[in-house]
Amino acid sequence: MEKLPQISEAEYEIMKIIWDESPISTNDVCDRVPASHNWSKKTIHTLLSRLAAKHVIAYEQRGRMYYYYPVISQKKYLSQENNHFLDRFYNGEASSLLSSLLSGSRVSDAELEKMYQLIDSKLRGEDA
């Protein structure tokens, strides 16, 4: 698998907007950033520039406006990040991650049922 660039948490927030609504104008990105971030337009423009420099997004100019679209898929990026997380914290062992999740009190019965169904589906060779 080709190694995708690392992106910061702030850059990831911008990526989520672009994955959801591309192509999307600079102004629309600014409008969709949650107010809780309290980011200025200049900060958002800087994040867009960084993402473009990392080649995870691209843009096209239409008149005076720039429209952004993803170069990498969200699924591909999340797969890489999941593998990195698993390797870093659980020595690549999914069973250790699952054990840690199950020992926590935040897993509801509904979530346990979903996990069971996903594991059962995978064991039967179905695409989860």
Side-chain angles (χ1 to χ4, degrees), residues 54-99:
K54 292 178 180 184
H55 305 289
V56 294
I57 64 171
Y59 60 88
E60 62 183 41
Q61 187 172 359
R62 298 181 195 163
R64 295 181 59 192
M65 188 63 63
Y66 289 91
Y67 286 81
Y68 295 88
Y69 55 92
V71 174
I72 62 170
S73 73
Q74 186 174 23
K75 182 178 181 178
K76 190 173 184 180
Y77 186 75
L78 290 177
S79 177
Q80 173 180 286
E81 287 301 300
N82 288 338
N83 288 330
H84 176 72
F85 178 82
L86 195 61
D87 290 342
R88 181 173 178 207
F89 294 105
Y90 296 97
N91 295 320
E93 296 178 11
S95 60
S96 295
L97 169 62
L98 184 59
S99 175

Side-chain angles (χ1 to χ4, degrees), residues 7-21 24 29-30 32-34 37 39 43-49 51 57 68:
I7 60 175
S8 70
E9 286 185 42
E11 292 166 344
Y12 183 68
E13 290 298 315
I14 301 297
M15 285 302 300
K16 289 191 298 187
I17 294 167
I18 294 171
W19 279 318
D20 284 346
E21 302 187 41
I24 184 169
V29 171
C30 291
R32 284 169 178 70
V33 169
H37 289 311
W39 293 340
T43 298
I44 296 167
H45 287 229
T46 298
L47 293 168
L48 288 165
S49 295
L51 290 166
I57 64 171
Y68 295 88

